[in-house]
Amino acid sequence: MRADGSVQMVDVSAKANTLREAEAQAEVRLGRAALSALKDNPKGNVLEVARIAGISAAKRTSELIPLCHNLPLTDIDLDIVVRGTVVRIRGRVRTTAGTGVEMEALTAVSVAALTVYDMCKAAGHGITIESICLLKKSGGRSGTYIRERTPNKKSAGART
């Protein structure tokens, strides 16, 4: 924050460019009708469209979140699986920059989850997006963070 109380982007120019990685997760809970819309959707392959949307979103994070730095991302990977009525989205983002990629990983899984919602909403609006969280981050001065427990269980994060 500036002396006058106004916000500013943090200057990371003195930080070393190092390998930094973050993993995040989101879950989309579907009703039975929406679950059937996953398999037979007039828009196309829901999970693949969501995966591509998440990758695109990670690349545009600095355009969506005002004080995020524009980072040269070196890898973005999203894995989407269906377990029962839950679509679990996990994303991993990497860079060799002077600041972390937590926001890029969180943006990727959030937009992928919103895409699943969008593509299935015609089958029912009872869809919920849950458990958006950071699972792990590494690199940089603050070290490694690994979430102690899976989302939906009460837990606090831990540093290692």
Side-chain angles (χ1 to χ4, degrees):
M1 184 175 355
R2 296 175 9 183
D4 66 359
S6 60
V7 298
Q8 69 179 14
M9 182 178 254
V10 174
D11 182 359
V12 296
S13 59
K15 290 185 173 185
N17 286 346
T18 60
L19 177 62
R20 297 163 191 262
E21 182 174 286
E23 295 179 28
Q25 175 178 294
E27 293 181 345
V28 183
R29 191 166 304 279
L30 305 171
R32 294 202 190 286
L35 183 61
S36 68
L38 269 181
K39 299 172 182 122
D40 186 25
N41 195 297
K43 292 182 179 182
N45 184 328
V46 174
L47 303 183
E48 188 63 9
V49 172
R51 193 177 71 78
I52 297 300
I55 291 169
S56 296
K59 293 164 50 174
R60 300 185 74 147
T61 299
S62 66
E63 295 175 32
L64 299 169
I65 301 175
L67 301 179
C68 278
H69 294 85
N70 185 7
L71 299 177
L73 303 181
T74 58
D75 187 39
I76 306 165
D77 186 38
L78 267 75
D79 183 40
I80 305 176
V81 297
V82 181
R83 295 207 170 111
T85 59
V86 175
V87 178
R88 178 171 291 149
I89 303 160
R90 290 194 176 198
R92 181 179 51 83
V93 180
R94 298 176 83 177
T95 189
T96 52
T99 191
V101 289
E102 296 97 306
M103 295 312 300
E104 287 74 8
L106 288 162
T107 299
V109 299
S110 298
V111 170
L114 287 167
T115 301
V116 171
Y117 187 105
D118 175 59
M119 293 189 70
C120 295
K121 70 181 184 259
H125 287 87
I127 302 166
T128 59
I129 297 172
E130 305 171 358
S131 306
I132 298 171
C133 65
L134 181 67
L135 297 173
K136 179 182 176 183
K137 79 108 189 144
S138 61
R141 187 176 59 220
S142 64
T144 298
Y145 164 88
I146 300 172
R147 186 176 185 87
E148 286 182 4
R149 297 182 187 192
T150 59
N152 291 336
K153 294 181 182 176
K154 293 183 180 182
S155 67
R159 290 191 184 272
T160 58

